[in-house]
Amino acid sequence: MTIPSRVGICPDLRQETFELPAQAVSVADARNRAYQRLRQWGIAPDVCSTARLVVSELFTNAVLHTDSDRIGCLLHVADDQIRIEVRDQGSYASTPMLHFPRSDEERGRGLLLIETIAQTWGVESAGPGLGHIVWAVIRP
């Protein structure tokens, strides 16, 4: 599967896509790109910070739990909501789902955090063998 290679900005729609290597160092780049673009679109700083956290968690999950080479991200602002999508190329051991870790576990709270701060979120298959799209919607 190839993540659409078209990287760009559509200012009228306030939509941007980008993709980065599926490496831990890319997580910071993804969250900073999201924050900066949303600020350029006039989104309030606190909402941009929430979106940055969502991008960070979803991107981290794709890096850690898939065998992707590249990970794509879509930011879309319309109708008083921000939709964030992270698309991987790989396969998860299972479909991404909420995990309720024990208090002594150090990991496993990413989607629980998304559940708490997003209005809604979900997972879609990109097609057989084509990875997943994990998305979240937040409202300013």
Side-chain angles (χ1 to χ4, degrees), residues 24 59-67 71 92 107:
F59 215 90
T60 297
N61 283 352
V63 168
L64 293 177
H65 302 296
T66 74
D67 58 357
I71 299 168
Y92 285 81
R107 301 173 91 180

PDB file of all heavy atoms in Angstrom, residues 24 59-67 71 92 107:
ATOM      1  N   ALA A  24      10.245   6.920  15.519  1.00  0.00           N
ATOM      2  CA  ALA A  24       9.922   7.664  16.737  1.00  0.00           C
ATOM      3  C   ALA A  24      10.246   9.150  16.616  1.00  0.00           C
ATOM      4  O   ALA A  24       9.504   9.992  17.122  1.00  0.00           O
ATOM      5  CB  ALA A  24      10.648   7.051  17.933  1.00  0.00           C
ATOM      6  N   PHE A  59      -0.051   9.130  16.143  1.00  0.00           N
ATOM      7  CA  PHE A  59       1.170   8.888  15.384  1.00  0.00           C
ATOM      8  C   PHE A  59       2.075   7.910  16.131  1.00  0.00           C
ATOM      9  O   PHE A  59       2.645   6.993  15.530  1.00  0.00           O
ATOM     10  CB  PHE A  59       1.892  10.218  15.127  1.00  0.00           C
ATOM     11  CG  PHE A  59       2.591  10.290  13.807  1.00  0.00           C
ATOM     12  CD1 PHE A  59       1.948  10.756  12.681  1.00  0.00           C
ATOM     13  CD2 PHE A  59       3.912   9.888  13.694  1.00  0.00           C
ATOM     14  CE1 PHE A  59       2.592  10.827  11.459  1.00  0.00           C
ATOM     15  CE2 PHE A  59       4.566   9.953  12.479  1.00  0.00           C
ATOM     16  CZ  PHE A  59       3.910  10.422  11.355  1.00  0.00           C
ATOM     17  N   THR A  60       2.186   8.086  17.442  1.00  0.00           N
ATOM     18  CA  THR A  60       2.995   7.178  18.252  1.00  0.00           C
ATOM     19  C   THR A  60       2.478   5.752  18.135  1.00  0.00           C
ATOM     20  O   THR A  60       3.255   4.802  17.974  1.00  0.00           O
ATOM     21  CB  THR A  60       3.012   7.627  19.722  1.00  0.00           C
ATOM     22  OG1 THR A  60       3.640   8.910  19.797  1.00  0.00           O
ATOM     23  CG2 THR A  60       3.768   6.647  20.593  1.00  0.00           C
ATOM     24  N   ASN A  61       1.161   5.576  18.231  1.00  0.00           N
ATOM     25  CA  ASN A  61       0.590   4.236  18.106  1.00  0.00           C
ATOM     26  C   ASN A  61       0.924   3.602  16.762  1.00  0.00           C
ATOM     27  O   ASN A  61       1.255   2.413  16.696  1.00  0.00           O
ATOM     28  CB  ASN A  61      -0.928   4.279  18.299  1.00  0.00           C
ATOM     29  CG  ASN A  61      -1.324   4.404  19.743  1.00  0.00           C
ATOM     30  OD1 ASN A  61      -0.494   4.309  20.645  1.00  0.00           O
ATOM     31  ND2 ASN A  61      -2.599   4.635  19.974  1.00  0.00           N
ATOM     32  N   ALA A  62       0.843   4.385  15.700  1.00  0.00           N
ATOM     33  CA  ALA A  62       1.157   3.849  14.373  1.00  0.00           C
ATOM     34  C   ALA A  62       2.635   3.450  14.283  1.00  0.00           C
ATOM     35  O   ALA A  62       2.976   2.425  13.691  1.00  0.00           O
ATOM     36  CB  ALA A  62       0.805   4.867  13.292  1.00  0.00           C
ATOM     37  N   VAL A  63       3.509   4.250  14.876  1.00  0.00           N
ATOM     38  CA  VAL A  63       4.944   3.929  14.867  1.00  0.00           C
ATOM     39  C   VAL A  63       5.213   2.647  15.667  1.00  0.00           C
ATOM     40  O   VAL A  63       5.929   1.759  15.218  1.00  0.00           O
ATOM     41  CB  VAL A  63       5.784   5.101  15.435  1.00  0.00           C
ATOM     42  CG1 VAL A  63       7.219   4.669  15.713  1.00  0.00           C
ATOM     43  CG2 VAL A  63       5.764   6.282  14.483  1.00  0.00           C
ATOM     44  N   LEU A  64       4.625   2.567  16.848  1.00  0.00           N
ATOM     45  CA  LEU A  64       4.923   1.454  17.747  1.00  0.00           C
ATOM     46  C   LEU A  64       4.246   0.141  17.381  1.00  0.00           C
ATOM     47  O   LEU A  64       4.797  -0.934  17.623  1.00  0.00           O
ATOM     48  CB  LEU A  64       4.516   1.812  19.185  1.00  0.00           C
ATOM     49  CG  LEU A  64       5.305   2.910  19.871  1.00  0.00           C
ATOM     50  CD1 LEU A  64       4.717   3.190  21.246  1.00  0.00           C
ATOM     51  CD2 LEU A  64       6.778   2.546  19.967  1.00  0.00           C
ATOM     52  N   HIS A  65       3.049   0.216  16.823  1.00  0.00           N
ATOM     53  CA  HIS A  65       2.234  -0.990  16.699  1.00  0.00           C
ATOM     54  C   HIS A  65       1.978  -1.460  15.275  1.00  0.00           C
ATOM     55  O   HIS A  65       1.155  -2.351  15.073  1.00  0.00           O
ATOM     56  CB  HIS A  65       0.897  -0.781  17.417  1.00  0.00           C
ATOM     57  CG  HIS A  65       1.051  -0.452  18.864  1.00  0.00           C
ATOM     58  ND1 HIS A  65       1.600  -1.335  19.775  1.00  0.00           N
ATOM     59  CD2 HIS A  65       0.756   0.675  19.560  1.00  0.00           C
ATOM     60  CE1 HIS A  65       1.622  -0.763  20.967  1.00  0.00           C
ATOM     61  NE2 HIS A  65       1.127   0.447  20.864  1.00  0.00           N
ATOM     62  N   THR A  66       2.641  -0.857  14.295  1.00  0.00           N
ATOM     63  CA  THR A  66       2.488  -1.328  12.918  1.00  0.00           C
ATOM     64  C   THR A  66       3.856  -1.563  12.308  1.00  0.00           C
ATOM     65  O   THR A  66       4.874  -1.132  12.839  1.00  0.00           O
ATOM     66  CB  THR A  66       1.709  -0.333  12.028  1.00  0.00           C
ATOM     67  OG1 THR A  66       2.545   0.794  11.720  1.00  0.00           O
ATOM     68  CG2 THR A  66       0.432   0.150  12.697  1.00  0.00           C
ATOM     69  N   ASP A  67       3.838  -2.218  11.177  1.00  0.00           N
ATOM     70  CA  ASP A  67       5.094  -2.434  10.451  1.00  0.00           C
ATOM     71  C   ASP A  67       5.196  -1.479   9.264  1.00  0.00           C
ATOM     72  O   ASP A  67       5.724  -1.819   8.216  1.00  0.00           O
ATOM     73  CB  ASP A  67       5.214  -3.893  10.010  1.00  0.00           C
ATOM     74  CG  ASP A  67       4.049  -4.334   9.136  1.00  0.00           C
ATOM     75  OD1 ASP A  67       3.116  -3.538   8.917  1.00  0.00           O
ATOM     76  OD2 ASP A  67       4.072  -5.485   8.668  1.00  0.00           O
ATOM     77  N   ILE A  71       3.941   7.017   7.574  1.00  0.00           N
ATOM     78  CA  ILE A  71       2.659   7.267   8.215  1.00  0.00           C
ATOM     79  C   ILE A  71       2.134   8.598   7.690  1.00  0.00           C
ATOM     80  O   ILE A  71       2.873   9.581   7.615  1.00  0.00           O
ATOM     81  CB  ILE A  71       2.804   7.311   9.743  1.00  0.00           C
ATOM     82  CG1 ILE A  71       3.312   5.955  10.244  1.00  0.00           C
ATOM     83  CG2 ILE A  71       1.483   7.677  10.413  1.00  0.00           C
ATOM     84  CD1 ILE A  71       3.751   5.959  11.675  1.00  0.00           C
ATOM     85  N   TYR A  92      -1.697  -4.171  12.323  1.00  0.00           N
ATOM     86  CA  TYR A  92      -1.638  -4.279  13.770  1.00  0.00           C
ATOM     87  C   TYR A  92      -1.759  -5.755  14.118  1.00  0.00           C
ATOM     88  O   TYR A  92      -2.306  -6.548  13.349  1.00  0.00           O
ATOM     89  CB  TYR A  92      -2.826  -3.553  14.415  1.00  0.00           C
ATOM     90  CG  TYR A  92      -2.730  -2.055  14.420  1.00  0.00           C
ATOM     91  CD1 TYR A  92      -3.067  -1.306  13.304  1.00  0.00           C
ATOM     92  CD2 TYR A  92      -2.329  -1.383  15.561  1.00  0.00           C
ATOM     93  CE1 TYR A  92      -3.007   0.075  13.315  1.00  0.00           C
ATOM     94  CE2 TYR A  92      -2.268  -0.002  15.595  1.00  0.00           C
ATOM     95  CZ  TYR A  92      -2.610   0.719  14.471  1.00  0.00           C
ATOM     96  OH  TYR A  92      -2.549   2.081  14.492  1.00  0.00           O
ATOM     97  N   ARG A 107       2.538   1.775  29.883  1.00  0.00           N
ATOM     98  CA  ARG A 107       2.045   2.111  28.551  1.00  0.00           C
ATOM     99  C   ARG A 107       0.582   1.699  28.429  1.00  0.00           C
ATOM    100  O   ARG A 107       0.024   1.072  29.298  1.00  0.00           O
ATOM    101  CB  ARG A 107       2.868   1.388  27.497  1.00  0.00           C
ATOM    102  CG  ARG A 107       4.348   1.740  27.572  1.00  0.00           C
ATOM    103  CD  ARG A 107       5.141   0.893  26.662  1.00  0.00           C
ATOM    104  NE  ARG A 107       5.236   1.568  25.370  1.00  0.00           N
ATOM    105  CZ  ARG A 107       5.863   1.092  24.332  1.00  0.00           C
ATOM    106  NH1 ARG A 107       6.427  -0.089  24.385  1.00  0.00           N
ATOM    107  NH2 ARG A 107       5.932   1.764  23.213  1.00  0.00           N
TER     108      ARG A 107
END
